[in-house]
Each structure stands twice: as structure tokens, then as C-alpha cells.
């Protein structure tokens, strides 16, 4: 009864999760995916399971620098992969692929002998979060009227230049320009 209850809970979470979930064999072959995976990747389970796809041999993962993380997960470590921007194939054949930021987690399922039985990959679409963060960062570092870099960004870049000069034993020059009667320009024409 306990096993049936546990299985029912897992199935409910797996099926209804808004997060993309994939289950892999220890050799890297996909065993199952949920509906959220199908929606995220614009694909279906049957096509994936019928393919020769192997996550451990996916050449598209290497440029993102995640293959090493994935391999560690298949060796038995639980891994959190930093957010990465992926190209998701478009549902419309003539449309370019869409870019999405995904945060990924790998959880190996171990046997009592501590051998990997299956590996679960969970992915969360954080594209909206990343876009909102970029807007906030831009607003914090740029003038709202002109869009030009503001004082906060200037001091950040200056401190970066000073740190870089110290590391390289070089120098930084700062030129300060004072405009006569600038206050009257601001007062007459506005900021």
C-alpha cells in the first residue's frame, strides 16, 4: 500500500509539474518525459524515445559547458546547472528558433548498492526572470530620459579599470571636463 501511494504521488507530481522533467537510463538514453518537457521543447515523447538521442553524447551541450555537469550527475552527484540560454526549435518551420533561459537540476536515482539506476533532469524556464533582471539592471545603470550611462555605472566601470590596472601594474587616467554655464543650459532647456 505504501509503495502504491508513493508511486501515485510521484506520478501526480511528474505529470502535473510546470517544470520540464526527463528521465534517463544510466547510459544516457531517454526513458520518459512529462508534458511540460513536450511544451518547452516543442516536441513529443514518442519522437524522442524513438530517436537515437543520448544526452551524454549531445554535441549541442558542449558549447554551453554543461556536458561535464551532466556527466557528474550520471556518476551519482546531484547537480544544479547555472542558467543557460538555449535555442529552442520553433513550432513554425520557417520561423527562427526561439531563445530561452533554462535553469537545470540533475538528480540521480541510486540503488541500494549506490549504483545509478536512473537520472532525472529537471529544467525551469526562467526567460522572463532574466529579461526582467536585465531591464532592472539597465534602469539602475542608465539615465531614464537619455538612456546614457549614469553615475552608478561610471563608478562601477572606473573601479573595474582601477582593479585591472593594479593587476597588470599599469595606470588609469581620468579626464574631468567642466562646462561653463552648464547650470543655465539645464535651467533653460531641461536635463
Amino acid at each position: 500500500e505504501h509503495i502504491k501511494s508513493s508511486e501515485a504521488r510521484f506520478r501526480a507530481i511528474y505529470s502535473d509539474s510546470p517544470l520540464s522533467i526527463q528521465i534517463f537510463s544510466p547510459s544516457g538514453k531517454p526513458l520518459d518525459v512529462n508534458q511540460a518537457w513536450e511544451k518547452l521543447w516543442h516536441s513529443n515523447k514518442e519522437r524522442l524515445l524513438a530517436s537515437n538521442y543520448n544526452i551524454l553524447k549531445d554535441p549541442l551541450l558542449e558549447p554551453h559547458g554543461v556536458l561535464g555537469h551532466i556527466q557528474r550527475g550520471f556518476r551519482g552527484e546531484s547537480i544544479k546547472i547555472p542558467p543557460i540560454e538555449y535555442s529552442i526549435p520553433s513550432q513554425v518551420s520557417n520561423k527562427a528558433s526561439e531563445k530561452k533561459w533554462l535553469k537545470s537540476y540533475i538528480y540521480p536515482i541510486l540503488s541500494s548498492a549506490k549504483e545509478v539506476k536512473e537520472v532525472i533532469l529537471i529544467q525551469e524556464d526562467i526567460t522572463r526572470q532574466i529579461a526582467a533582471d536585465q531591464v532592472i539592471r539597465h534602469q539602475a545603470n542608465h539615465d531614464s530620459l537619455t538612456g546614457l550611462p549614469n553615475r552608478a555605472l561610471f563608478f562601477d566601470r572606473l573601479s573595474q579599470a582601477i582593479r585591472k590596472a593594479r593587476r597588470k601594474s599599469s595606470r588609469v587616467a581620468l579626464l574631468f571636463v567642466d562646462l561653463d554655464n552648464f547650470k543655465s543650459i539645464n535651467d533653460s532647456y531641461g536635463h
Side-chain angles (χ1 to χ4, degrees):
E1 188 63 35
H2 177 69
I3 291 174
K4 285 183 181 178
S5 174
S6 179
E7 173 69 18
R9 271 195 306 272
F10 169 77
R11 282 286 152 206
I13 292 169
Y14 179 76
S15 299
D16 298 335
S17 174
L19 303 176
S20 164
I21 302 174
Q22 301 172 71
I23 302 175
F24 292 94
S25 72
S27 65
K29 296 288 289 173
L31 300 174
D32 200 6
V33 297
N34 68 352
Q35 288 179 348
W37 179 89
E38 292 179 322
K39 185 177 176 186
L40 174 68
W41 290 98
H42 308 305
S43 188
N44 65 45
K45 179 182 359 186
E46 291 75 25
R47 188 177 320 144
L48 176 68
L49 298 181
S51 72
N52 289 326
Y53 180 75
N54 186 317
I55 193 168
L56 296 171
K57 297 175 182 171
D58 187 338
L60 299 176
L61 295 176
E62 191 57 44
H64 294 296
V66 296
L67 204 48
H69 293 295
I70 291 170
Q71 290 166 343
R72 286 176 37 214
F74 277 80
R75 289 192 298 264
E77 291 182 55
S78 290
I79 305 290
K80 177 183 174 185
I81 299 174
I84 295 167
E85 187 178 35
Y86 291 92
S87 290
I88 309 286
S90 174
Q91 289 180 302
V92 182
S93 61
N94 62 351
K95 190 176 174 191
S97 59
E98 59 183 307
K99 304 285 187 186
K100 289 200 177 204
W101 284 88
L102 303 179
K103 190 174 3 174
S104 305
Y105 306 88
I106 297 176
Y107 300 104
I109 306 298
L110 305 176
S111 69
S112 57
K114 303 291 184 206
E115 294 174 353
V116 176
K117 290 177 16 180
E118 293 178 339
V119 176
I120 298 176
L121 173 63
I122 299 174
Q123 293 180 308
E124 178 182 9
D125 182 357
I126 59 166
T127 307
R128 285 186 176 165
Q129 243 178 291
I130 295 287
D133 288 348
Q134 288 172 342
V135 167
I136 290 169
R137 199 173 309 115
H138 186 271
Q139 289 173 342
N141 291 309
H142 292 81
D143 181 76
S144 60
L145 181 64
T146 64
L148 295 171
N150 65 15
R151 185 181 302 224
L153 186 59
F154 165 74
F155 283 119
D156 177 65
R157 295 302 187 265
L158 179 62
S159 63
Q160 285 180 20
I162 292 170
R163 284 194 302 272
K164 184 178 178 182
R166 284 185 183 143
R167 278 194 313 272
K168 295 185 174 197
S169 299
S170 63
R171 295 181 181 180
V172 172
L174 176 63
L175 177 65
F176 178 79
V177 177
D178 186 21
L179 300 177
D180 292 337
N181 301 318
F182 193 69
K183 183 180 180 337
S184 64
I185 293 171
N186 268 345
D187 292 345
S188 301
Y189 298 106
H191 291 283

